[in-house]
Amino acid sequence: MGQTAFIPASTEQAKALRRGADPGLRRGCAVTPALLRALEPQSTTEEAEFAALSNAGVLGLLVGPELTRLVLAAELEPAQITATEDPSGEIAISSLSWPQVRALFLDEPEAADAVMTARRAVTESAGEVTLATALPLPEVGALLDGFDLLWFAPEELDHLGQTGDPTDIAANRAD
């Protein structure tokens, strides 16, 4: 039985992974013991997975300059995951293949300005940029509070525009 992990990627990294290349995706988030300890004791599995997805979305601010964040949801074997004691559920991933990807999550179209504002705040923050330093930034909080990552099937990757523009997805999405 595998574990769901959420891995931020650029559109090009996701396409390279689908072609069989190793795009170097090494960081992600999952429901780890440290994340579970950080959540309320009565948190459900679904709430813990949503927290891991949201935190992977914040890591997605560090991936590239696209207008949206792309997060891959993948089913990984335990040997592929090295959990940290980070309370945000950050993990290191030893390898990943496209058949393991079960879903794509992408920002809703209206989030583009908030994504760019949060990305700018994260990249301009003093010191080393980590998930722990990005999460408390007000611009990141506004993004997380104001916008959701939308679910797409892995087969819809080709409907992403070259820039990751979500309006391309809305126009080309298969129902």
Side-chain angles (χ1 to χ4, degrees):
M1 178 90 180
Q3 179 177 3
T4 300
F6 301 98
I7 305 115
S10 69
T11 304
E12 287 309 309
Q13 287 172 326
K15 288 179 178 179
L17 180 65
R18 186 180 60 190
R19 288 190 304 268
D22 179 2
L25 302 173
R26 300 289 185 249
R27 292 171 66 187
C29 293
V31 178
T32 63
L35 175 63
L36 290 172
R37 285 191 300 274
L39 296 173
E40 297 293 323
Q42 66 275 15
S43 295
T44 66
T45 301
E46 184 176 291
E47 290 168 329
E49 286 181 344
F50 181 77
L53 171 61
S54 295
N55 291 342
V58 174
L59 281 177
L61 294 170
L62 308 175
V63 171
E66 294 178 339
L67 297 175
T68 57
R69 299 167 296 153
L70 174 62
V71 176
L72 313 176
E75 200 70 25
L76 301 181
E77 295 301 320
Q80 292 178 268
I81 298 173
T82 303
T84 67
E85 284 303 312
D86 186 290
S88 62
E90 189 167 352
I91 59 171
I93 301 163
S94 62
S95 63
L96 179 65
S97 65
W98 185 255
Q100 293 177 292
V101 175
R102 302 291 185 249
L104 308 175
F105 289 89
L106 188 77
D107 279 301
E108 55 189 280
E110 299 78 16
D113 288 340
V115 169
M116 296 311 288
T117 299
R119 181 174 283 126
R120 190 170 28 260
V122 167
T123 58
E124 291 175 357
S125 64
E128 181 185 356
V129 180
T130 65
L131 183 54
T133 61
L135 281 169
L137 294 173
E139 297 86 350
V140 171
L143 173 63
L144 295 176
D145 290 341
F147 302 97
D148 291 321
L149 290 166
L150 305 178
W151 180 93
F152 294 90
E155 298 79 32
E156 294 181 275
L157 180 62
D158 288 330
H159 296 296
L160 298 175
Q162 290 297 328
T163 63
D165 183 350
T167 56
D168 290 346
I169 294 167
N172 296 318
R173 185 164 189 194
D175 290 323

